[in-house]
Amino acid sequence: MIRKTRLFTPGPTPLLPAAQFAMAAADIHHRTAEFRALYTKVLSDLKTFVGTKNDVILLASSGTGAMEAAVSNLTSPGDRVLVLTAGKFGERWVSLAKAFGCDVDVVSAPYGQTFDLEEVRKALRIETRAVFMQATETSTGVRHCVQGVADVLKQSGKDAALVVDAITGLGTTHIDMDGWGVDVLIGGSQKAVMIPPGLSYLAVSNRAWELMEISLNPRYYFDLRKERKSAAKGESAYTPAVALIAALGAALDYIAAQADGDLAAGRAKLVENAETCAAMTRAAVEALELKLFAPEAPSAAATAVLPPAGMDSGVFVKELKNRFAAVITNGQGEMKGQIFRIAHLGFFDYMDTIALVGALEQVAYALKLPGFAFGKALVAAQNVFASRAADEAARNHCSCGRPVGHYALTSASLPAR
Ligand SMILES: *Cc1c(COP(=O)(O)O)cnc(C)c1O
């Protein structure tokens, strides 16, 4: 059989064809009225996509560039910060904060789990300048409770700013930045917005803008205040990634078109889409008698799966690639060989998910997994799809069990802190 290459990776993710066409046609200079119109529209649509009234800043960098910008713009050497970590991307916050001279407190959870909010409360100090976390930890497939951490911060009466890496959280989990009081929310282009790597973005609260005025860390290319000034005139401080910005515009149009032109509602649909693909995949994996790596707080961005005892997870990665040209990912760093990960964020649909489950059955059959029979995983995924369609209300829960509702469908949101 021929094999069509399909990415099931949590970044880069499959590309939206309309965005690819927009890139190919983006032959414009960045100091023109034409570009200013495009940039202004994309920045405004990004605000709607993020779900905030705050300014959104776009950078020509991968997601880590925006993480670095958050650290360098908000902190000074010697500042006390708190990092909540349960995986590779949480550890990146620790390294970044140390690189910029911060004194780092850490609350951690074992890989595959989320941290305890009570520990977060205890670790907060009067002098804690900022708290850094992920909305979803892509390396382990875990969803953290952003709202829970935001509440702990509010109740503490302390002054720390909350910085959330939502690079795989945006478009896969509901986040109410303004209502919850998140100060910086970070996204990246190669994730749920279906375009190639190379752009990152940050939504920044008024409080965070104020903090930037007193922070003493050096910044030049990633000076967010400079970008904000340029953005107000429809430009970027330096040469922008024009083609990627055109692609982002097309992708946001596509997301809006999923809900008759209402981008906020389209974003909610994108989240539901990822949730459904993830729930189908989890049910299929369990029907194959494989164990989920993050059963208690699974993210909809990616599902992490343990191979059978004694088997290297790379076997699944290789078999899916060699036989079906389906690209999934192994574990990151020292988790290589221990888990495999299947992504659901962005341009994945029912058909992709069912096809991957079918291919997983073929792999399980070839590997002679105990208890295997054709159809079990597919039936489980089909049942999830059918029941989710019938049961909308039960869905939108944070990993900690809080109902998050359909805030995205209304404009009601609380004032920022
Ligand atoms: C992809 C990703 C990043 C950013 O990685 P880059 O390679 O710099 O784009 C950061 N955090 C999370 C949770 C991610 O999934």
Side-chain angles (χ1 to χ4, degrees):
M1 292 203 80
I2 65 164
R3 301 172 315 146
K4 288 193 199 175
T5 295
R6 291 177 174 86
L7 295 183
F8 288 92
T9 47
T13 60
L15 299 178
L16 179 76
Q20 291 176 277
F21 295 133
M23 289 183 80
D27 189 12
I28 52 180
H29 191 269
H30 57 286
R31 305 293 181 209
T32 58
E34 197 184 0
F35 178 77
R36 284 191 287 273
L38 169 69
Y39 200 52
T40 305
K41 175 165 193 301
V42 167
L43 287 178
S44 154
D45 285 351
L46 256 187
K47 280 168 82 151
T48 311
F49 178 72
V50 169
T52 182
K53 295 195 174 69
N54 293 320
D55 284 345
V56 177
I57 300 299
L58 201 49
L59 299 172
S61 78
S62 81
T64 307
M67 293 171 74
E68 171 161 333
V71 173
S72 67
N73 281 265
L74 291 180
T75 68
S76 305
D79 272 357
R80 177 66 59 182
V81 302
L82 174 61
V83 174
L84 315 180
T85 171
K88 292 286 146 201
F89 291 102
E91 289 157 21
R92 191 167 297 178
W93 278 132
V94 175
S95 307
L96 273 165
K98 286 185 176 160
F100 284 89
C102 297
D103 288 332
V104 185
D105 291 324
V106 174
V107 167
S108 61
Y111 289 1
Q113 297 177 29
T114 188
F115 24 76
D116 178 20
L117 292 177
E118 188 49 30
E119 276 186 47
V120 176
R121 194 185 62 75
K122 285 191 196 135
L124 270 178
R125 309 188 195 206
I126 294 284
E127 67 272 26
T128 305
R129 169 59 52 94
V131 178
F132 296 93
M133 69 180 292
Q134 270 64 40
T136 52
E137 174 53 75
T138 319
S139 67
T140 63
V142 162
R143 174 170 9 211
H144 296 313
C145 187
V146 176
Q147 187 181 9
V149 173
D151 282 352
V152 166
L153 271 172
K154 268 189 206 149
Q155 286 154 12
S156 75
K158 300 190 178 96
D159 227 17
L162 179 56
V163 179
V164 180
D165 161 5
I167 293 174
T168 53
L170 280 160
T172 69
T173 192
H174 288 290
I175 300 173
D176 183 0
M177 176 179 194
D178 302 355
W180 298 349
V182 175
D183 292 292
V184 178
L185 195 70
I186 301 173
S189 59
Q190 81 275 33
K191 310 279 180 157
V193 289
M194 317 170 188
I195 67 171
L199 285 181
S200 63
Y201 52 96
L202 308 92
V204 181
S205 75
N206 287 333
R207 228 163 67 92
W209 288 116
E210 282 163 20
L211 266 178
M212 284 183 216
E213 299 303 328
I214 56 165
S215 111
L216 299 175
N217 259 317
R219 54 215 122 127
Y220 188 86
Y221 186 71
F222 289 142
D223 189 335
L224 298 177
R225 297 163 304 174
K226 203 159 47 189
E227 283 299 342
R228 187 192 202 190
K229 269 190 203 132
S230 299
K233 294 179 276 175
E235 295 194 0
S236 58
Y238 310 102
T239 310
V242 177
L244 287 171
I245 291 164
L248 182 54
L252 294 172
D253 285 349
Y254 172 82
I255 294 165
Q258 301 308 304
D260 301 320
D262 179 342
L263 181 53
R267 185 258 327 271
K269 280 205 164 182
L270 187 66
V271 170
E272 278 179 24
N273 181 71
E275 294 275 21
T276 299
C277 294
M280 288 169 71
T281 304
R282 288 195 298 271
V285 159
E286 290 188 313
L288 290 172
E289 297 180 29
L290 295 173
K291 290 213 165 59
L292 297 168
F293 186 56
E296 265 145 44
S299 81
T303 298
V305 185
L306 289 159
M311 192 182 283
D312 189 296
S313 62
V315 172
F316 285 83
V317 181
K318 272 203 202 100
E319 286 283 309
L320 285 168
K321 177 84 179 9
N322 293 345
R323 298 186 53 207
F324 303 104
V327 185
I328 64 166
T329 42
N330 208 318
Q332 260 169 276
E334 71 264 27
M335 280 188 292
K336 188 161 184 215
Q338 296 181 35
I339 55 171
F340 61 87
R341 294 171 299 150
I342 300 164
H344 321 290
L345 73 171
F347 198 44
F348 294 103
D349 67 358
Y350 167 84
M351 302 290 266
D352 297 318
T353 307
I354 281 292
L356 186 81
V357 170
L360 259 183
E361 284 199 344
Q362 291 293 345
V363 171
Y365 170 70
L367 295 174
K368 298 190 171 62
L369 295 196
F372 175 79
F374 275 120
K376 278 193 197 170
L378 281 164
V379 165
Q382 295 282 31
N383 278 325
V384 166
F385 182 84
S387 68
R388 282 181 68 86
D391 181 25
E392 291 235 344
R395 266 181 248 186
N396 296 316
H397 282 80
C398 195
S399 58
C400 55
R402 287 160 201 260
V404 298
H406 276 276
Y407 79 90
L409 296 172
T410 73
S411 55
S413 76
L414 303 167
R417 273 191 292 170

